[in-house]
Amino acid sequence: FPFPYTPYRIQEQFMEALYGALEAGRVGIFESPTGTGKSLSLICGALSWLRDWEEKRRQEEAQLLALGAGGQDGLTPQQARPGSADTAGQPDWVTAFVQKKEERDMVDRLKEEQIRRKKREDRLEKIRHNIQLKYAAKRKRCEEDEAKRLLQLSKEALSQEAGEGALDQLDHNEEELILAEYESDDEKKVVSGLEEDDDDLEEEHVPKIYYCSRTHSQLSQFVHEVQKSPFGKTIRLVSLGSRQNLCVNEEVRRLGALQLINDRCMEMQKNKHEKKSNEENEGKKRRVSRTVCPFYSFEQMQFLRDEVLVEVKDIEQLVSLGRETKACPYYGSRFAIPAAQLVVLPYQMLLHEPTRNAAGIKLKDQVVIIDEAHNLTDTITCIHSAEVSGSQLCCAHSQLSQYMERYRKRLKAKNLMYIKQILYLLEQFVAVLGGNVNQNPGCQAVSQTGTVLKSINDFLFQSQIDNINLFKVQRYCEKSLISRKLFGFVERYGGPASTVKTNKENQKLAGLQDFLLTLQQGSDKEGTPQSPPVEAEHDQLRTASPLMQIEGFLSALTNANQDGRIILNRQGTVGQSSLKFLLLNPAVHFAKVVEECRAVIIAGGTMQPVADFREQLLCRAGVDPARIVEFSCGHVIPPENILPIILCSGPSNQQLEFTYQTRDLPQMMDETGRILCNLCNVIPGGVVCFFPSYEYEKQVYGHWEKTGLLSRLAAKKKIFQEPKKANQVEQVLVEYAKCIKRCSQTGGQMTGALLLSVVGGKMSEGINFSDDLGRCVIMVGMPYPNIRSPELQEKMTWLDKTMPRAAGQAPSRVLIENLCMKAVNQSIGRAIRHQKDFASILLLDHRYARPAIFNKLPQWIRERTQVKPAFGSAFAELRKFHRGKLDAL
């Protein structure tokens, strides 16, 4: 395997296993701890396979073409299509003729494909070498822009002279808000924009690898690794992202919310296509000018596409190229998909079928690599779940009925019919929550509060909407862009405060009451009014058209009955109550991916417990167990660089067991504090301590403050707490790192910093505590999920019903343990990030020593773990470890 430097032994094993899995078309679960160069192994392993495979295909094609050219049928009928001779008792000569024709067609097809491929390669080659071509394109663009501007100016002058009398009834901005005539489902096939505009952009898909990860930053990292790898110069790579990340049209970007950006963009394109068809019947009636996106021009996007394929670019580089070339990166990058060899994209795009189809991603016989996949199951569940609140439902209802009133005369029958159906749906949803659409949701109290779970069918019956074809309504929403029109209408006629208009006299009051209500809830909870940011978030949710969210909920209702549940959550008022769709069986949505792909690789730093993936996702999705391969490799660090300890009791011999019942006891919190005090005396640099939840962390912190333990801790280490808001994380981390650096340089009393974090919070994933930032990671108790949550309970019941018992344990029990240990493994994996790194890991709870739990630790940690019944020996061990490391440094 080509590699930028000499690979570690485990990297070689990883690549060999990966190559094997791809070659055999398997579904692989690959675990390789962070810090072992996983990305590079993935890149070099997978791309080597791709290169060899392409080579093999080329040779096969060459052979076939040679045969075709020779004119002799090198293949005997039996060879070519085994078992197809005299299938239906046809005479031999018919079979032979058909066979010959098939061979000839195949050869022709191959020739065409070769010509096309040659064309593409030549074009890209030309771009590589010919910088002038770039400038020519750029100059042409500037000239066009200039001409356009002059034309625009003269048009404006003309229109002013003509006077404004030309516009009838509605001014032209409003014209856009009216729903276009809707041709129903079967009446006409919609021609999509691509075909009519350009055949050149529709290419066959070459064999490729789809690589997906969770966040854009992880994807960018991966692209940089590719750039560094030996394949960096030759590979055709495309990065895909959402419009939010890729849009270069400032007006659209300013909308902020993803849904709004998407809708606005779609609308502009629709306008573009309408323009074309309307220019012919220009004479009949004067068209209103409609905005189209200046960046959506095919020439420029083709140019962008080729640029992308010539040189590996990450999202940022793609956006700046788009700005420079006046081409849309979002669509330009999509046009590059067919010819690309490696497509890098976020989870959502690959796992959500509608998004996948919209992006033109074809999975047939391709390879998919899903990285950072430790919570793949949850991700699929999240992508396909949807929630709407009572206030959103009421708000959408009021907006839509006002819209219908205003434009009733202008709307066609089909439109009215669908709008009425949607209004009816909204009414029924609110009724199910125990409210009435026509009253302010903030003022209606709910009679019986609590949470109820229903199957989809029961919910449809109870809300009396089982007679409505939800599939059709959903398709209508998509095609007619109704939510976008509604948003425009509301933007024009009502500020955010007046969106919840009601037929009663309390219009003015609505906003105020809403505000008072939020204040009142705040004071009930904490004794202080809630901070303004909450209000701001509230506003943000309200201004994006609520109908968009509701569309998501409607499409969720079209899932199969047994795969999901509806949660009716009735709280204080109708406005705060909500309907939520919960997907129980993520495998349904993953099945398609596994079926179509040639091979699927699920990779991650900590994939333990693997059984979870195997049973819940893969076997459920109908994968033949023989097709699944597992690979797990150790870590690159020498065994003496890590000291994992399971501690069963503290300094005063208090047994450590942090269950819901015992963890609130003062002696438990005291004991935890004593352990930390002792450790901070002997551990240099940074100590990261994980708590099971924000609430518990807050409670312990408060307790230590009261008892004076906190000040003792603070004498040795500066204390930082993980912030709840995502935007403050960066700042806390920077301060934390600065403090550690300062202490290590100056010496003195303070030896570093202590960071109190939360499992599954912002710090437990994707953030590296390498070297001095994390010399010791402490895990307080076991982070079991909240068993009382109705969603989890439903999932547990469902699993017990549908899965067999494994090794005497109920599936629900296993699920809970797996969720817990996944979180632990994620958190403790933060400390060791490269070969020379070292750290101690401390698990505070005697339950970690139970075999069932112990075996779910990652292998490389498990092999080196010591179980210490008493604190004394554990402390001595830790002191020795860190002293030894300090001397070695």
Side-chain angles (χ1 to χ4, degrees):
F1 295 101
F3 217 72
Y5 51 84
T6 323
Y8 303 131
R9 178 75 201 101
I10 54 173
Q11 284 181 314
E12 285 179 350
Q13 290 165 345
F14 186 98
M15 291 189 289
E16 277 158 23
L18 178 64
Y19 192 97
L22 295 177
E23 189 54 44
R26 294 279 173 79
V27 173
I29 301 178
F30 280 65
E31 175 178 59
S32 154
T34 326
T36 54
K38 182 180 58 187
S39 323
L40 261 178
S41 317
L42 277 172
I43 293 168
C44 298
L47 292 182
S48 305
W49 172 80
L50 187 67
R51 195 191 50 200
D52 296 350
W53 198 72
E54 283 179 353
E55 192 43 50
K56 217 163 61 194
R57 259 191 58 173
R58 263 196 208 120
Q59 286 167 355
E60 282 170 12
E61 282 180 13
Q63 270 177 333
L64 269 172
L65 284 172
L67 288 177
Q72 83 273 52
D73 49 357
L75 305 172
T76 64
Q78 249 64 28
Q79 242 177 334
R81 300 197 51 188
S84 71
D86 350 300
T87 29
Q90 292 167 333
D92 275 350
W93 60 271
V94 176
T95 322
F97 176 75
V98 170
Q99 159 105 39
K100 264 283 206 333
K101 176 149 172 44
E102 273 176 16
E103 264 174 45
R104 266 202 307 277
D105 287 351
M106 171 109 176
V107 170
D108 291 343
R109 214 173 37 246
L110 284 177
K111 276 186 185 149
E112 264 176 43
E113 214 172 279
Q114 271 191 337
I115 292 168
R116 247 195 255 143
R117 190 184 313 140
K118 187 93 185 73
K119 236 164 115 180
R120 183 175 69 226
E121 279 165 11
D122 290 348
R123 192 177 66 228
L124 295 184
E125 208 39 51
K126 204 156 80 191
I127 293 180
R128 265 202 193 109
H129 294 311
N130 191 355
I131 312 279
Q132 284 158 344
L133 206 116
K134 284 191 196 178
Y135 288 117
K138 218 168 168 177
R139 202 174 50 242
K140 184 170 163 222
R141 244 192 337 270
C142 296
E143 287 167 7
E144 277 176 8
D145 284 354
E146 192 53 31
K148 264 196 199 126
R149 222 193 50 186
L150 292 171
L151 198 70
Q152 191 57 41
L153 285 174
S154 55
K155 264 192 189 151
E156 277 169 18
L158 278 173
S159 68
Q160 273 170 356
E161 290 162 26
E164 276 73 33
L167 288 179
D168 54 335
Q169 318 130 329
L170 305 171
D171 75 11
H172 75 264
N173 289 338
E174 216 171 321
E175 195 72 44
E176 287 191 19
L177 299 177
I178 293 182
L179 288 161
E181 191 168 348
Y182 179 66
E183 277 108 356
S184 163
D185 334 308
D186 331 298
E187 290 169 29
K188 111 172 207 263
K189 188 80 200 79
V190 181
V191 191
S192 87
L194 268 184
E195 282 91 59
E196 56 178 300
D197 273 278
D198 213 313
D199 338 315
D200 202 20
L201 292 174
E202 276 295 298
E203 300 185 54
E204 28 85 56
H205 280 238
V206 303
K208 60 173 68 42
I209 294 171
Y210 288 102
Y211 169 90
C212 48
S213 190
R214 265 181 38 159
T215 58
H216 279 290
S217 57
Q218 282 165 337
L219 292 172
S220 278
Q221 260 173 332
F222 179 78
V223 174
H224 291 299
E225 294 278 335
V226 175
Q227 286 168 338
K228 283 189 292 200
S229 79
F231 296 93
K233 292 278 170 282
T234 52
I235 188 83
R236 299 192 296 274
L237 177 145
V238 177
S239 303
L240 300 179
S242 59
R243 288 188 177 86
Q244 221 168 358
N245 296 86
L246 288 176
C247 178
V248 286
N249 184 337
E250 283 309 320
E251 285 171 41
V252 180
R253 273 185 88 113
R254 274 206 302 269
L255 292 170
L258 179 62
Q259 188 72 55
L260 297 181
I261 293 180
N262 284 345
D263 278 14
R264 183 78 187 108
C265 176
M266 297 301 287
E267 191 182 33
M268 283 179 153
Q269 279 180 66
K270 212 169 158 182
N271 292 345
K272 184 181 169 112
H273 294 311
E274 277 177 14
K275 244 190 179 171
K276 289 209 165 117
S277 55
N278 281 327
E279 276 162 10
E280 289 96 69
N281 47 22
E282 189 69 40
K284 292 178 211 158
K285 66 174 193 208
R286 180 155 175 263
R287 265 318 274 192
V288 195
S289 73
R290 293 197 166 188
T291 31
V292 292
C293 183
F295 294 92
Y296 192 78
S297 89
F298 280 99
E299 276 174 87
Q300 301 316 345
M301 283 193 290
Q302 266 174 296
F303 178 69
L304 183 83
R305 171 194 68 188
D306 296 342
E307 279 291 311
V308 169
L309 292 173
V310 170
E311 189 188 12
V312 174
K313 292 180 179 45
D314 68 3
I315 295 277
E316 281 75 38
Q317 292 162 318
L318 189 61
V319 168
S320 52
L321 179 74
R323 289 213 169 96
E324 189 187 307
T325 56
K326 291 257 196 309
C328 171
Y330 178 72
Y331 283 100
S333 59
R334 286 183 172 199
F335 292 146
I337 296 177
Q341 293 161 308
L342 180 57
V343 179
V344 180
L345 67 172
Y347 272 8
Q348 250 74 347
M349 266 187 154
L350 188 99
L351 298 172
H352 191 225
E353 203 182 339
T355 318
R356 193 163 67 223
N357 297 339
I361 294 169
K362 300 195 171 82
L363 293 181
K364 191 91 189 88
D365 297 335
Q366 309 293 20
V367 171
V368 167
I369 298 178
I370 300 176
D371 198 3
E372 299 294 336
H374 48 266
N375 37 16
L376 183 59
T377 326
D378 304 343
T379 307
I380 298 178
T381 309
C382 280
I383 293 177
H384 296 91
S385 297
E387 181 169 23
V388 289
S389 70
S391 56
Q392 283 172 327
L393 291 166
C394 288
C395 177
H397 187 277
S398 105
Q399 289 178 7
L400 196 54
S401 34
Q402 288 171 45
Y403 176 89
M404 188 171 88
E405 278 313 305
R406 175 159 177 100
Y407 301 123
R408 182 165 278 232
K409 295 189 181 57
R410 301 282 309 263
L411 292 171
K412 298 277 186 306
K414 259 285 169 40
N415 275 324
L416 279 174
M417 176 187 91
Y418 276 114
I419 291 183
K420 282 180 178 159
Q421 281 192 352
I422 296 172
L423 285 172
Y424 174 70
L425 287 174
L426 295 174
E427 230 166 286
Q428 294 307 112
F429 288 157
V430 175
V432 165
L433 287 175
N436 178 349
V437 186
N438 297 323
Q439 289 163 11
N440 181 351
C443 315
Q444 300 179 64
V446 174
S447 48
Q448 69 259 55
T449 54
T451 307
V452 191
L453 281 130
K454 301 224 168 276
S455 70
I456 302 183
N457 288 352
D458 289 348
F459 174 74
L460 295 179
F461 286 124
Q462 192 198 339
S463 47
Q464 300 171 348
I465 54 170
D466 47 305
N467 54 349
I468 285 185
N469 183 338
L470 288 174
F471 290 96
K472 280 192 167 182
V473 175
Q474 185 195 352
R475 189 173 324 130
Y476 172 74
C477 289
E478 263 169 41
K479 290 274 183 294
S480 67
L481 292 177
I482 181 161
S483 55
R484 167 72 214 163
K485 309 270 186 200
L486 191 59
F487 178 73
F489 169 73
V490 172
E491 231 179 4
R492 196 181 164 85
Y493 287 111
S498 65
T499 46
V500 191
K501 279 229 184 78
T502 48
N503 306 354
K504 298 273 169 282
E505 284 303 86
N506 51 11
Q507 293 181 0
K508 295 256 170 34
L509 284 173
L512 184 65
Q513 276 165 333
D514 226 29
F515 179 69
L516 289 176
L517 258 166
T518 34
L519 285 184
Q520 182 194 333
Q521 285 150 10
S523 54
D524 290 351
K525 271 188 220 138
E526 293 159 18
T528 54
Q530 260 180 336
S531 51
V534 178
E535 277 294 305
E537 280 167 31
H538 202 69
D539 265 356
Q540 226 173 354
L541 278 176
R542 185 140 13 119
T543 47
S545 161
L547 193 60
M548 295 173 187
Q549 290 247 301
I550 293 161
E551 281 178 22
F553 182 69
L554 286 179
S555 70
L557 287 178
T558 57
N559 271 299
N561 184 42
Q562 67 278 7
D563 294 331
R565 296 283 177 277
I566 306 291
I567 301 175
L568 303 174
N569 189 3
R570 301 194 178 102
Q571 296 297 328
T573 65
V574 173
Q576 297 155 341
S577 305
S578 64
L579 296 173
K580 181 170 183 186
F581 171 79
L582 173 71
L583 178 71
L584 291 177
N585 183 5
V588 228
H589 293 283
F590 194 59
K592 202 85 180 247
V593 177
V594 194
E595 248 162 63
E596 293 191 341
C597 293
R598 172 200 172 92
V600 176
I601 304 293
I602 302 175
T606 36
M607 299 294 286
Q608 288 295 345
V610 173
D612 207 27
F613 289 97
R614 213 180 29 239
E615 276 128 36
Q616 271 205 37
L617 256 192
L618 300 177
C619 297
R620 266 279 161 71
V623 180
D624 175 14
R627 198 182 157 198
I628 300 173
V629 277
E630 282 174 32
F631 173 85
S632 171
C633 64
H635 209 294
V636 284
I637 57 160
E640 64 274 9
N641 274 14
I642 170 180
L643 175 67
I645 291 180
I646 292 174
L647 189 57
C648 303
S649 59
S652 60
N653 287 329
Q654 165 80 39
Q655 190 195 35
L656 298 176
E657 180 173 357
F658 294 85
T659 59
Y660 276 118
Q661 291 76 38
T662 57
R663 67 181 196 185
D664 301 342
L665 301 172
Q667 60 263 36
M668 273 315 235
M669 300 200 258
D670 288 337
E671 201 72 343
T672 312
R674 282 188 216 111
I675 294 172
L676 280 177
C677 276
N678 281 312
L679 294 183
C680 288
N681 284 328
V682 295
I683 297 171
V687 176
V688 184
C689 179
F690 284 104
F691 288 90
S693 69
Y694 279 107
E695 287 65 47
Y696 189 56
E697 188 261 339
K698 215 168 170 179
Q699 195 182 347
V700 172
Y701 190 84
H703 181 78
W704 289 348
E705 244 175 343
K706 279 208 250 354
T707 57
L709 244 165
L710 201 61
S711 43
R712 271 171 51 204
L713 268 176
K716 278 287 167 201
K717 303 255 185 223
K718 184 163 177 186
I719 299 175
F720 292 90
Q721 286 175 285
E722 172 175 328
K724 255 194 157 166
K725 289 220 162 58
N727 51 8
Q728 299 162 356
V729 172
E730 206 41 52
Q731 192 186 348
V732 173
L733 280 174
V734 171
E735 292 294 317
Y736 171 72
K738 264 193 204 149
C739 174
I740 292 173
K741 204 168 169 190
R742 215 175 30 243
C743 294
S744 70
Q745 285 162 352
T746 52
Q749 270 287 293
M750 290 281 260
T751 56
L754 166 67
L755 177 63
L756 306 176
S757 337
V758 177
V759 174
K762 314 281 177 293
M763 308 278 180
S764 65
E765 281 193 33
I767 288 171
N768 300 345
F769 295 114
S770 55
D771 302 324
D772 266 348
L773 291 182
R775 282 302 177 214
C776 177
V777 174
I778 301 167
M779 195 78 189
V780 180
M782 300 186 69
Y784 280 116
N786 175 10
I787 297 193
R788 296 194 190 86
S789 98
E791 303 174 23
L792 191 61
Q793 285 186 332
E794 188 59 36
K795 178 105 193 183
M796 285 160 65
T797 330
W798 180 78
L799 276 176
D800 285 343
K801 264 195 220 135
T802 56
M803 303 275 283
R805 285 175 77 86
Q809 267 190 314
S812 56
R813 178 81 211 135
V814 177
L815 169 81
I816 297 285
E817 264 173 26
N818 286 349
L819 285 172
C820 166
M821 289 312 289
K822 248 185 216 165
V824 171
N825 295 341
Q826 260 315 298
S827 303
I828 58 183
R830 303 282 114 220
I832 305 277
R833 308 308 276 185
H834 58 82
Q835 201 175 9
K836 300 194 172 46
D837 209 349
F838 65 90
S840 51
I841 294 171
L842 204 57
L843 304 172
L844 307 185
D845 202 311
H846 73 97
R847 293 174 294 170
Y848 281 111
R850 293 179 185 163
I853 301 285
F854 184 73
N855 287 330
K856 286 181 177 162
L857 285 167
Q859 184 189 346
W860 60 281
I861 293 181
R862 196 169 57 223
E863 286 164 353
R864 306 164 189 181
T865 304
Q866 309 177 16
V867 178
K868 298 282 184 190
F871 181 72
S873 63
F875 184 68
E877 200 63 55
L878 277 162
R879 194 169 55 202
K880 193 174 91 195
F881 175 79
H882 285 285
R883 286 257 164 92
K885 290 292 171 216
L886 273 182
D887 299 344
L889 285 175

